Structure formats: structure tokens, C-alpha cells
Tab-separated table of all heavy atoms in Angstrom:
chain	number	residue	atom	x	y	z
A	1	MET	N	-28.086	-43.874	33.097
A	1	MET	CA	-28.390	-44.023	31.693
A	1	MET	C	-27.134	-43.738	30.873
A	1	MET	O	-26.401	-42.806	31.157
A	1	MET	CB	-29.490	-43.026	31.316
A	1	MET	CG	-29.960	-43.168	29.898
A	1	MET	SD	-31.370	-42.080	29.612
A	1	MET	CE	-30.817	-41.317	28.112
A	2	SER	N	-26.909	-44.569	29.866
A	2	SER	CA	-25.705	-44.349	29.071
A	2	SER	C	-26.056	-43.758	27.714
A	2	SER	O	-27.157	-43.918	27.207
A	2	SER	CB	-24.931	-45.659	28.905
A	2	SER	OG	-25.701	-46.590	28.204
A	3	ASN	N	-25.103	-43.051	27.175
A	3	ASN	CA	-25.230	-42.425	25.863
A	3	ASN	C	-24.277	-43.128	24.915
A	3	ASN	O	-23.196	-43.544	25.320
A	3	ASN	CB	-24.843	-40.948	25.944
A	3	ASN	CG	-25.766	-40.174	26.848
A	3	ASN	OD1	-26.922	-39.996	26.542
A	3	ASN	ND2	-25.248	-39.727	27.985
A	4	THR	N	-24.686	-43.239	23.654
A	4	THR	CA	-23.831	-43.855	22.651
A	4	THR	C	-23.598	-42.869	21.518
A	4	THR	O	-24.535	-42.235	21.047
A	4	THR	CB	-24.480	-45.143	22.109
A	4	THR	OG1	-24.753	-46.019	23.184
A	4	THR	CG2	-23.560	-45.838	21.122
A	5	LEU	N	-22.341	-42.759	21.129
A	5	LEU	CA	-21.958	-41.893	20.018
A	5	LEU	C	-21.116	-42.737	19.069
A	5	LEU	O	-20.186	-43.416	19.503
A	5	LEU	CB	-21.132	-40.711	20.531
A	5	LEU	CG	-20.526	-39.778	19.473
A	5	LEU	CD1	-21.628	-39.038	18.712
A	5	LEU	CD2	-19.573	-38.785	20.123
A	6	THR	N	-21.462	-42.726	17.784
A	6	THR	CA	-20.668	-43.433	16.783
A	6	THR	C	-20.002	-42.400	15.893
A	6	THR	O	-20.667	-41.493	15.386
A	6	THR	CB	-21.553	-44.385	15.951
A	6	THR	OG1	-22.185	-45.308	16.836
A	6	THR	CG2	-20.712	-45.152	14.936
A	7	VAL	N	-18.690	-42.539	15.743
A	7	VAL	CA	-17.924	-41.600	14.932
A	7	VAL	C	-17.115	-42.369	13.884
A	7	VAL	O	-16.810	-43.542	14.067
A	7	VAL	CB	-16.974	-40.729	15.786
A	7	VAL	CG1	-17.758	-39.827	16.724
A	7	VAL	CG2	-15.993	-41.583	16.565
A	8	SER	N	-16.793	-41.678	12.805
A	8	SER	CA	-15.973	-42.258	11.737
A	8	SER	C	-14.570	-41.676	11.834
A	8	SER	O	-14.399	-40.480	12.065
A	8	SER	CB	-16.584	-41.933	10.375
A	8	SER	OG	-17.894	-42.464	10.288
A	9	ILE	N	-13.568	-42.552	11.633
A	9	ILE	CA	-12.175	-42.149	11.789
A	9	ILE	C	-11.391	-42.607	10.563
A	9	ILE	O	-11.506	-43.774	10.157
A	9	ILE	CB	-11.557	-42.775	13.054
A	9	ILE	CG1	-12.371	-42.379	14.288
A	9	ILE	CG2	-10.088	-42.380	13.202
A	9	ILE	CD1	-12.038	-43.174	15.531
A	10	SER	N	-10.609	-41.711	9.992
A	10	SER	CA	-9.788	-42.085	8.848
A	10	SER	C	-8.327	-42.206	9.258
A	10	SER	O	-7.894	-41.608	10.234
A	10	SER	CB	-9.939	-41.064	7.716
A	10	SER	OG	-9.421	-39.816	8.106
A	11	GLY	N	-7.584	-43.033	8.501
A	11	GLY	CA	-6.146	-43.160	8.703
A	11	GLY	C	-5.705	-44.361	9.516
A	11	GLY	O	-4.507	-44.603	9.656
A	12	MET	N	-6.640	-45.130	10.050
A	12	MET	CA	-6.270	-46.287	10.873
A	12	MET	C	-6.010	-47.499	9.976
A	12	MET	O	-6.764	-47.758	9.049
A	12	MET	CB	-7.378	-46.595	11.882
A	12	MET	CG	-7.603	-45.478	12.877
A	12	MET	SD	-9.067	-45.699	13.897
A	12	MET	CE	-8.755	-47.268	14.656
A	13	THR	N	-4.926	-48.238	10.264
A	13	THR	CA	-4.577	-49.364	9.406
A	13	THR	C	-4.324	-50.678	10.148
A	13	THR	O	-4.202	-51.721	9.513
A	13	THR	CB	-3.310	-49.051	8.587
A	13	THR	OG1	-2.244	-48.734	9.493
A	13	THR	CG2	-3.536	-47.872	7.640
A	14	CYS	N	-4.223	-50.649	11.485
A	14	CYS	CA	-3.840	-51.873	12.190
A	14	CYS	C	-4.346	-51.872	13.636
A	14	CYS	O	-4.932	-50.897	14.104
A	14	CYS	CB	-2.324	-52.020	12.192
A	14	CYS	SG	-1.491	-50.705	13.111
A	15	GLY	N	-4.087	-52.956	14.321
A	15	GLY	CA	-4.494	-53.092	15.706
A	15	GLY	C	-3.857	-52.058	16.622
A	15	GLY	O	-4.462	-51.629	17.601
A	16	HIS	N	-2.640	-51.643	16.302
A	16	HIS	CA	-1.981	-50.613	17.114
A	16	HIS	C	-2.747	-49.297	17.000
A	16	HIS	O	-2.893	-48.570	17.981
A	16	HIS	CB	-0.520	-50.434	16.684
A	16	HIS	CG	0.174	-49.360	17.449
A	16	HIS	ND1	0.538	-49.512	18.774
A	16	HIS	CD2	0.538	-48.107	17.103
A	16	HIS	CE1	1.106	-48.385	19.194
A	16	HIS	NE2	1.117	-47.520	18.194
A	17	CYS	N	-3.248	-49.008	15.786
A	17	CYS	CA	-4.053	-47.799	15.582
A	17	CYS	C	-5.289	-47.851	16.469
A	17	CYS	O	-5.635	-46.874	17.129
A	17	CYS	CB	-4.510	-47.702	14.125
A	17	CYS	SG	-3.201	-47.654	12.896
A	18	VAL	N	-5.946	-48.999	16.464
A	18	VAL	CA	-7.152	-49.188	17.283
A	18	VAL	C	-6.825	-48.963	18.753
A	18	VAL	O	-7.546	-48.258	19.458
A	18	VAL	CB	-7.746	-50.605	17.075
A	18	VAL	CG1	-8.856	-50.876	18.075
A	18	VAL	CG2	-8.257	-50.758	15.649
A	19	ALA	N	-5.712	-49.531	19.213
A	19	ALA	CA	-5.319	-49.395	20.612
A	19	ALA	C	-5.047	-47.934	20.966
A	19	ALA	O	-5.463	-47.460	22.030
A	19	ALA	CB	-4.088	-50.248	20.900
A	20	SER	N	-4.374	-47.209	20.079
A	20	SER	CA	-4.058	-45.801	20.334
A	20	SER	C	-5.318	-44.953	20.429
A	20	SER	O	-5.479	-44.146	21.356
A	20	SER	CB	-3.166	-45.240	19.216
A	20	SER	OG	-1.933	-45.902	19.197
A	21	VAL	N	-6.218	-45.138	19.470
A	21	VAL	CA	-7.463	-44.360	19.460
A	21	VAL	C	-8.311	-44.710	20.672
A	21	VAL	O	-8.855	-43.835	21.342
A	21	VAL	CB	-8.237	-44.595	18.138
A	21	VAL	CG1	-9.649	-44.058	18.226
A	21	VAL	CG2	-7.493	-43.943	16.982
A	22	THR	N	-8.425	-46.010	20.970
A	22	THR	CA	-9.216	-46.456	22.111
A	22	THR	C	-8.698	-45.834	23.402
A	22	THR	O	-9.473	-45.310	24.207
A	22	THR	CB	-9.197	-47.997	22.221
A	22	THR	OG1	-9.766	-48.542	21.028
A	22	THR	CG2	-9.988	-48.488	23.413
A	23	GLU	N	-7.383	-45.846	23.592
A	23	GLU	CA	-6.771	-45.289	24.802
A	23	GLU	C	-7.076	-43.800	24.941
A	23	GLU	O	-7.425	-43.329	26.028
A	23	GLU	CB	-5.261	-45.525	24.755
A	23	GLU	CG	-4.535	-45.037	25.993
A	23	GLU	CD	-3.037	-45.303	25.930
A	23	GLU	OE1	-2.613	-46.255	25.242
A	23	GLU	OE2	-2.297	-44.545	26.579
A	24	GLU	N	-6.953	-43.061	23.847
A	24	GLU	CA	-7.202	-41.611	23.906
A	24	GLU	C	-8.675	-41.307	24.189
A	24	GLU	O	-8.991	-40.438	24.992
A	24	GLU	CB	-6.759	-40.930	22.613
A	24	GLU	CG	-5.260	-40.869	22.428
A	24	GLU	CD	-4.539	-40.050	23.482
A	24	GLU	OE1	-5.139	-39.151	24.087
A	24	GLU	OE2	-3.349	-40.318	23.697
A	25	ILE	N	-9.585	-42.029	23.534
A	25	ILE	CA	-11.011	-41.779	23.752
A	25	ILE	C	-11.419	-42.177	25.170
A	25	ILE	O	-12.196	-41.480	25.821
A	25	ILE	CB	-11.874	-42.488	22.695
A	25	ILE	CG1	-11.610	-41.887	21.304
A	25	ILE	CG2	-13.371	-42.375	23.031
A	25	ILE	CD1	-12.295	-42.614	20.154
A	26	GLU	N	-10.862	-43.285	25.669
A	26	GLU	CA	-11.188	-43.725	27.028
A	26	GLU	C	-10.713	-42.729	28.079
A	26	GLU	O	-11.202	-42.738	29.206
A	26	GLU	CB	-10.595	-45.111	27.311
A	26	GLU	CG	-11.381	-46.227	26.653
A	26	GLU	CD	-10.777	-47.605	26.891
A	26	GLU	OE1	-9.573	-47.708	27.230
A	26	GLU	OE2	-11.520	-48.589	26.711
A	27	SER	N	-9.773	-41.846	27.718
A	27	SER	CA	-9.282	-40.866	28.689
A	27	SER	C	-10.243	-39.689	28.850
A	27	SER	O	-10.074	-38.870	29.746
A	27	SER	CB	-7.892	-40.371	28.277
A	27	SER	OG	-7.979	-39.535	27.129
A	28	ILE	N	-11.269	-39.609	27.999
A	28	ILE	CA	-12.266	-38.541	28.124
A	28	ILE	C	-13.144	-38.849	29.336
A	28	ILE	O	-13.619	-39.975	29.498
A	28	ILE	CB	-13.146	-38.449	26.856
A	28	ILE	CG1	-12.293	-38.111	25.626
A	28	ILE	CG2	-14.255	-37.409	27.047
A	28	ILE	CD1	-13.040	-38.222	24.307
A	29	ALA	N	-13.363	-37.855	30.171
A	29	ALA	CA	-14.184	-38.038	31.372
A	29	ALA	C	-15.575	-38.531	30.991
A	29	ALA	O	-16.216	-37.987	30.093
A	29	ALA	CB	-14.284	-36.732	32.138
A	30	GLY	N	-16.030	-39.581	31.677
A	30	GLY	CA	-17.375	-40.087	31.472
A	30	GLY	C	-17.481	-41.244	30.493
A	30	GLY	O	-18.535	-41.877	30.396
A	31	VAL	N	-16.398	-41.543	29.768
A	31	VAL	CA	-16.452	-42.636	28.788
A	31	VAL	C	-16.370	-43.980	29.505
A	31	VAL	O	-15.486	-44.217	30.312
A	31	VAL	CB	-15.317	-42.505	27.745
A	31	VAL	CG1	-15.225	-43.756	26.867
A	31	VAL	CG2	-15.538	-41.274	26.888
A	32	ASP	N	-17.343	-44.856	29.188
A	32	ASP	CA	-17.369	-46.201	29.768
A	32	ASP	C	-16.633	-47.207	28.898
A	32	ASP	O	-15.878	-48.034	29.384
A	32	ASP	CB	-18.820	-46.688	29.937
A	32	ASP	CG	-19.508	-46.045	31.123
A	32	ASP	OD1	-18.818	-45.662	32.075
A	32	ASP	OD2	-20.750	-45.932	31.082
A	33	SER	N	-16.909	-47.155	27.595
A	33	SER	CA	-16.286	-48.130	26.697
A	33	SER	C	-16.170	-47.575	25.291
A	33	SER	O	-16.897	-46.664	24.902
A	33	SER	CB	-17.092	-49.430	26.672
A	33	SER	OG	-18.356	-49.208	26.067
A	34	VAL	N	-15.224	-48.165	24.544
A	34	VAL	CA	-14.989	-47.787	23.158
A	34	VAL	C	-14.874	-49.081	22.360
A	34	VAL	O	-14.105	-49.965	22.720
A	34	VAL	CB	-13.682	-46.974	22.998
A	34	VAL	CG1	-13.450	-46.599	21.548
A	34	VAL	CG2	-13.701	-45.740	23.885
A	35	ASP	N	-15.653	-49.190	21.291
A	35	ASP	CA	-15.596	-50.361	20.420
A	35	ASP	C	-15.259	-49.864	19.020
A	35	ASP	O	-16.065	-49.177	18.395
A	35	ASP	CB	-16.941	-51.097	20.437
A	35	ASP	CG	-16.934	-52.329	19.548
A	35	ASP	OD1	-15.855	-52.947	19.415
A	35	ASP	OD2	-17.985	-52.666	18.987
A	36	VAL	N	-14.046	-50.200	18.536
A	36	VAL	CA	-13.594	-49.726	17.233
A	36	VAL	C	-13.700	-50.847	16.210
A	36	VAL	O	-13.220	-51.955	16.437
A	36	VAL	CB	-12.138	-49.211	17.299
A	36	VAL	CG1	-11.658	-48.766	15.923
A	36	VAL	CG2	-12.013	-48.070	18.304
A	37	ALA	N	-14.352	-50.555	15.093
A	37	ALA	CA	-14.425	-51.484	13.963
A	37	ALA	C	-13.422	-50.992	12.927
A	37	ALA	O	-13.644	-49.982	12.262
A	37	ALA	CB	-15.837	-51.517	13.399
A	38	LEU	N	-12.296	-51.709	12.812
A	38	LEU	CA	-11.214	-51.300	11.921
A	38	LEU	C	-11.558	-51.611	10.471
A	38	LEU	O	-11.970	-52.719	10.141
A	38	LEU	CB	-9.921	-52.028	12.314
A	38	LEU	CG	-8.697	-51.750	11.446
A	38	LEU	CD1	-8.270	-50.293	11.554
A	38	LEU	CD2	-7.545	-52.668	11.845
A	39	ASN	N	-11.380	-50.614	9.610
A	39	ASN	CA	-11.486	-50.771	8.167
A	39	ASN	C	-10.165	-50.257	7.618
A	39	ASN	O	-10.037	-49.083	7.293
A	39	ASN	CB	-12.681	-49.986	7.619
A	39	ASN	CG	-12.813	-50.120	6.112
A	39	ASN	OD1	-12.139	-50.927	5.488
A	39	ASN	ND2	-13.666	-49.311	5.525
A	40	ALA	N	-9.166	-51.146	7.572
A	40	ALA	CA	-7.800	-50.748	7.219
A	40	ALA	C	-7.755	-50.037	5.875
A	40	ALA	O	-8.247	-50.547	4.875
A	40	ALA	CB	-6.890	-51.971	7.196
A	41	GLY	N	-7.193	-48.826	5.895
A	41	GLY	CA	-7.055	-48.045	4.691
A	41	GLY	C	-8.309	-47.290	4.303
A	41	GLY	O	-8.304	-46.495	3.379
A	42	GLY	N	-9.410	-47.539	5.013
A	42	GLY	CA	-10.657	-46.841	4.730
A	42	GLY	C	-11.108	-46.061	5.940
A	42	GLY	O	-10.290	-45.593	6.724
A	43	THR	N	-12.408	-45.951	6.102
A	43	THR	CA	-12.956	-45.235	7.244
A	43	THR	C	-13.410	-46.239	8.297
A	43	THR	O	-14.260	-47.078	8.020
A	43	THR	CB	-14.137	-44.349	6.803
A	43	THR	OG1	-13.679	-43.439	5.798
A	43	THR	CG2	-14.693	-43.554	7.977
A	44	SER	N	-12.792	-46.167	9.460
A	44	SER	CA	-13.154	-47.040	10.578
A	44	SER	C	-14.230	-46.352	11.406
A	44	SER	O	-14.397	-45.135	11.325
A	44	SER	CB	-11.927	-47.320	11.443
A	44	SER	OG	-10.897	-47.903	10.665
A	45	THR	N	-14.943	-47.128	12.217
A	45	THR	CA	-15.943	-46.522	13.087
A	45	THR	C	-15.628	-46.859	14.537
A	45	THR	O	-15.123	-47.933	14.845
A	45	THR	CB	-17.376	-47.006	12.760
A	45	THR	OG1	-17.407	-48.433	12.847
A	45	THR	CG2	-17.811	-46.568	11.381
A	46	ALA	N	-15.945	-45.915	15.403
A	46	ALA	CA	-15.789	-46.118	16.840
A	46	ALA	C	-17.133	-45.843	17.491
A	46	ALA	O	-17.739	-44.793	17.256
A	46	ALA	CB	-14.728	-45.179	17.404
A	47	THR	N	-17.597	-46.803	18.264
A	47	THR	CA	-18.827	-46.621	19.024
A	47	THR	C	-18.424	-46.388	20.469
A	47	THR	O	-17.765	-47.227	21.082
A	47	THR	CB	-19.747	-47.852	18.896
A	47	THR	OG1	-20.016	-48.067	17.507
A	47	THR	CG2	-21.049	-47.636	19.637
A	48	ILE	N	-18.805	-45.232	20.991
A	48	ILE	CA	-18.383	-44.800	22.322
A	48	ILE	C	-19.598	-44.779	23.239
A	48	ILE	O	-20.613	-44.160	22.914
A	48	ILE	CB	-17.767	-43.387	22.259
A	48	ILE	CG1	-16.645	-43.347	21.208
A	48	ILE	CG2	-17.270	-42.949	23.638
A	48	ILE	CD1	-16.351	-41.955	20.694
A	49	THR	N	-19.493	-45.468	24.362
A	49	THR	CA	-20.554	-45.460	25.357
A	49	THR	C	-20.074	-44.630	26.539
A	49	THR	O	-18.960	-44.820	27.024
A	49	THR	CB	-20.891	-46.895	25.821
A	49	THR	OG1	-21.217	-47.675	24.657
A	49	THR	CG2	-22.064	-46.911	26.774
A	50	SER	N	-20.919	-43.694	26.974
A	50	SER	CA	-20.513	-42.788	28.050
A	50	SER	C	-21.686	-42.499	28.975
A	50	SER	O	-22.841	-42.732	28.630
A	50	SER	CB	-19.988	-41.475	27.465
A	50	SER	OG	-21.023	-40.840	26.743
A	51	VAL	N	-21.354	-41.971	30.146
A	51	VAL	CA	-22.380	-41.635	31.132
A	51	VAL	C	-22.935	-40.239	30.920
A	51	VAL	O	-23.868	-39.834	31.603
A	51	VAL	CB	-21.840	-41.762	32.577
A	51	VAL	CG1	-21.478	-43.210	32.875
A	51	VAL	CG2	-20.651	-40.840	32.807
A	52	ARG	N	-22.366	-39.502	29.976
A	52	ARG	CA	-22.851	-38.155	29.685
A	52	ARG	C	-22.786	-37.937	28.180
A	52	ARG	O	-22.129	-38.669	27.465
A	52	ARG	CB	-22.016	-37.097	30.409
A	52	ARG	CG	-20.572	-37.044	29.956
A	52	ARG	CD	-19.779	-35.959	30.669
A	52	ARG	NE	-18.387	-35.925	30.256
A	52	ARG	CZ	-17.924	-35.254	29.205
A	52	ARG	NH1	-18.724	-34.553	28.441
A	52	ARG	NH2	-16.640	-35.271	28.910
A	53	ASP	N	-23.481	-36.902	27.710
A	53	ASP	CA	-23.388	-36.544	26.294
A	53	ASP	C	-21.977	-36.082	25.998
A	53	ASP	O	-21.417	-35.275	26.739
A	53	ASP	CB	-24.367	-35.406	25.954
A	53	ASP	CG	-25.807	-35.881	25.887
A	53	ASP	OD1	-26.030	-37.079	25.597
A	53	ASP	OD2	-26.705	-35.064	26.126
A	54	LEU	N	-21.405	-36.605	24.921
A	54	LEU	CA	-20.062	-36.194	24.532
A	54	LEU	C	-20.146	-35.173	23.415
A	54	LEU	O	-20.996	-35.261	22.535
A	54	LEU	CB	-19.264	-37.399	24.038
A	54	LEU	CG	-18.953	-38.481	25.070
A	54	LEU	CD1	-18.237	-39.641	24.400
A	54	LEU	CD2	-18.118	-37.932	26.201
A	55	ASP	N	-19.240	-34.227	23.465
A	55	ASP	CA	-19.123	-33.228	22.415
A	55	ASP	C	-18.235	-33.830	21.327
A	55	ASP	O	-17.146	-34.329	21.621
A	55	ASP	CB	-18.488	-31.975	23.025
A	55	ASP	CG	-18.337	-30.849	22.018
A	55	ASP	OD1	-18.793	-31.000	20.864
A	55	ASP	OD2	-17.765	-29.816	22.406
A	56	GLU	N	-18.694	-33.796	20.082
A	56	GLU	CA	-17.898	-34.365	18.999
A	56	GLU	C	-16.521	-33.716	18.920
A	56	GLU	O	-15.547	-34.360	18.554
A	56	GLU	CB	-18.641	-34.235	17.662
A	56	GLU	CG	-18.057	-35.117	16.580
A	56	GLU	CD	-18.911	-35.192	15.332
A	56	GLU	OE1	-20.064	-35.650	15.415
A	56	GLU	OE2	-18.404	-34.796	14.274
A	57	ALA	N	-16.426	-32.445	19.311
A	57	ALA	CA	-15.136	-31.744	19.277
A	57	ALA	C	-14.133	-32.373	20.246
A	57	ALA	O	-12.950	-32.509	19.915
A	57	ALA	CB	-15.327	-30.267	19.605
A	58	GLU	N	-14.586	-32.778	21.435
A	58	GLU	CA	-13.634	-33.383	22.374
A	58	GLU	C	-13.227	-34.778	21.920
A	58	GLU	O	-12.094	-35.196	22.129
A	58	GLU	CB	-14.155	-33.367	23.817
A	58	GLU	CG	-15.311	-34.260	24.134
A	58	GLU	CD	-15.807	-34.091	25.572
A	58	GLU	OE1	-15.009	-33.847	26.492
A	58	GLU	OE2	-17.027	-34.225	25.755
A	59	VAL	N	-14.133	-35.488	21.246
A	59	VAL	CA	-13.778	-36.790	20.685
A	59	VAL	C	-12.781	-36.588	19.547
A	59	VAL	O	-11.782	-37.306	19.448
A	59	VAL	CB	-15.036	-37.548	20.199
A	59	VAL	CG1	-14.635	-38.844	19.498
A	59	VAL	CG2	-15.977	-37.828	21.361
A	60	SER	N	-13.031	-35.592	18.704
A	60	SER	CA	-12.125	-35.279	17.588
A	60	SER	C	-10.726	-34.959	18.105
A	60	SER	O	-9.724	-35.399	17.537
A	60	SER	CB	-12.685	-34.103	16.793
A	60	SER	OG	-11.821	-33.770	15.734
A	61	GLU	N	-10.664	-34.199	19.194
A	61	GLU	CA	-9.379	-33.839	19.794
A	61	GLU	C	-8.632	-35.078	20.288
A	61	GLU	O	-7.425	-35.209	20.101
A	61	GLU	CB	-9.634	-32.874	20.956
A	61	GLU	CG	-8.404	-32.183	21.463
A	61	GLU	CD	-8.748	-31.139	22.525
A	61	GLU	OE1	-9.504	-30.197	22.221
A	61	GLU	OE2	-8.257	-31.295	23.646
A	62	ALA	N	-9.359	-36.013	20.902
A	62	ALA	CA	-8.742	-37.256	21.386
A	62	ALA	C	-8.231	-38.098	20.223
A	62	ALA	O	-7.132	-38.655	20.273
A	62	ALA	CB	-9.743	-38.057	22.227
A	63	VAL	N	-9.021	-38.172	19.163
A	63	VAL	CA	-8.626	-38.930	17.969
A	63	VAL	C	-7.385	-38.292	17.336
A	63	VAL	O	-6.439	-38.988	16.941
A	63	VAL	CB	-9.801	-39.015	16.965
A	63	VAL	CG1	-9.342	-39.562	15.620
A	63	VAL	CG2	-10.928	-39.874	17.539
A	64	ALA	N	-7.366	-36.963	17.270
A	64	ALA	CA	-6.215	-36.247	16.713
A	64	ALA	C	-4.972	-36.474	17.569
A	64	ALA	O	-3.863	-36.604	17.046
A	64	ALA	CB	-6.524	-34.756	16.604
A	65	GLU	N	-5.157	-36.546	18.881
A	65	GLU	CA	-4.040	-36.794	19.810
A	65	GLU	C	-3.396	-38.153	19.502
A	65	GLU	O	-2.191	-38.327	19.649
A	65	GLU	CB	-4.561	-36.758	21.249
A	65	GLU	CG	-3.507	-36.813	22.318
A	65	GLU	CD	-2.678	-35.532	22.439
A	65	GLU	OE1	-3.194	-34.442	22.163
A	65	GLU	OE2	-1.503	-35.656	22.807
A	66	ALA	N	-4.210	-39.099	19.046
A	66	ALA	CA	-3.696	-40.430	18.686
A	66	ALA	C	-3.089	-40.427	17.287
A	66	ALA	O	-2.482	-41.404	16.873
A	66	ALA	CB	-4.826	-41.454	18.771
A	67	GLY	N	-3.294	-39.326	16.533
A	67	GLY	CA	-2.681	-39.209	15.221
A	67	GLY	C	-3.614	-39.505	14.051
A	67	GLY	O	-3.159	-39.734	12.936
A	68	TYR	N	-4.905	-39.474	14.290
A	68	TYR	CA	-5.872	-39.805	13.241
A	68	TYR	C	-6.895	-38.670	13.100
A	68	TYR	O	-6.862	-37.712	13.847
A	68	TYR	CB	-6.556	-41.142	13.555
A	68	TYR	CG	-5.509	-42.202	13.774
A	68	TYR	CD1	-5.113	-42.548	15.060
A	68	TYR	CD2	-4.837	-42.770	12.701
A	68	TYR	CE1	-4.093	-43.471	15.270
A	68	TYR	CE2	-3.811	-43.680	12.903
A	68	TYR	CZ	-3.440	-44.034	14.186
A	68	TYR	OH	-2.428	-44.923	14.386
A	69	THR	N	-7.781	-38.811	12.136
A	69	THR	CA	-8.718	-37.741	11.828
A	69	THR	C	-10.154	-38.209	11.966
A	69	THR	O	-10.523	-39.264	11.418
A	69	THR	CB	-8.489	-37.247	10.371
A	69	THR	OG1	-7.130	-36.872	10.225
A	69	THR	CG2	-9.399	-36.077	10.053
A	70	LEU	N	-10.938	-37.438	12.706
A	70	LEU	CA	-12.357	-37.723	12.819
A	70	LEU	C	-13.038	-37.210	11.554
A	70	LEU	O	-12.827	-36.071	11.153
A	70	LEU	CB	-12.933	-37.017	14.049
A	70	LEU	CG	-14.336	-37.436	14.464
A	70	LEU	CD1	-14.293	-38.834	15.094
A	70	LEU	CD2	-14.907	-36.460	15.461
A	71	VAL	N	-13.831	-38.067	10.930
A	71	VAL	CA	-14.580	-37.679	9.741
A	71	VAL	C	-15.952	-37.229	10.227
A	71	VAL	O	-16.645	-37.979	10.903
A	71	VAL	CB	-14.718	-38.867	8.763
A	71	VAL	CG1	-15.513	-38.459	7.533
A	71	VAL	CG2	-13.351	-39.410	8.375
A	72	SER	N	-16.324	-36.012	9.897
A	72	SER	CA	-17.579	-35.472	10.409
A	72	SER	C	-18.771	-36.307	9.967
A	72	SER	O	-18.890	-36.675	8.804
A	72	SER	CB	-17.770	-34.034	9.935
A	72	SER	OG	-19.009	-33.555	10.378
A	73	ASN	N	-19.624	-36.638	10.926
A	73	ASN	CA	-20.840	-37.375	10.624
A	73	ASN	C	-21.934	-36.439	10.133
A	73	ASN	O	-23.005	-36.870	9.769
A	73	ASN	CB	-21.335	-38.120	11.873
A	73	ASN	CG	-20.385	-39.241	12.263
A	73	ASN	OD1	-19.686	-39.783	11.420
A	73	ASN	ND2	-20.351	-39.577	13.526
A	74	ASN	N	-21.644	-35.147	10.141
A	74	ASN	CA	-22.639	-34.150	9.757
A	74	ASN	C	-22.459	-33.692	8.307
A	74	ASN	O	-23.046	-32.744	7.879
A	74	ASN	CB	-22.545	-32.929	10.680
A	74	ASN	CG	-22.736	-33.308	12.136
A	74	ASN	OD1	-23.469	-34.241	12.436
A	74	ASN	ND2	-22.065	-32.607	13.020
A	75	ALA	N	-21.616	-34.404	7.575
A	75	ALA	CA	-21.316	-33.993	6.197
A	75	ALA	C	-22.475	-34.299	5.266
A	75	ALA	O	-23.227	-35.200	5.462
A	75	ALA	CB	-20.049	-34.688	5.705
């Protein structure tokens, strides 16, 4: 069974940004796929499919590693 988590990311402006974020998120254990919807200059969304529940903190850390900021969905 797969789990899906959708997160919002700020600071992404181009395809290279998408590639960087995708690569970092895919490096998290258990992640099957990452689909990023780029909203250049605004808030982009990433839909992450994984084989286990992901902790938003570990996703935030991966996004930060790529140089961007996870916008809390709990705001």
C-alpha cells in the first residue's frame, strides 16, 4: 500500500529547482515517486508517493538541502 503526502514549497523558479527538490526527496528511504507542480515565484506543490508514512520534518530537511523552504500545511 502506498502513502501520498502533498507539501508546499516556496522559492522554486525553474526546472532546475524542480530537479533539485525531486532528487533530494527521492533520496528519502521509502519514496517511490515525486511529482512537482512548479509555480514560479509562488508556492509550488510536491506530491510524494511512498511505501511508508513520511514525517514532514524529514521532507522539510530534504527540501532545505536542495535550498528551498517547505511551507507548513498545518498553518
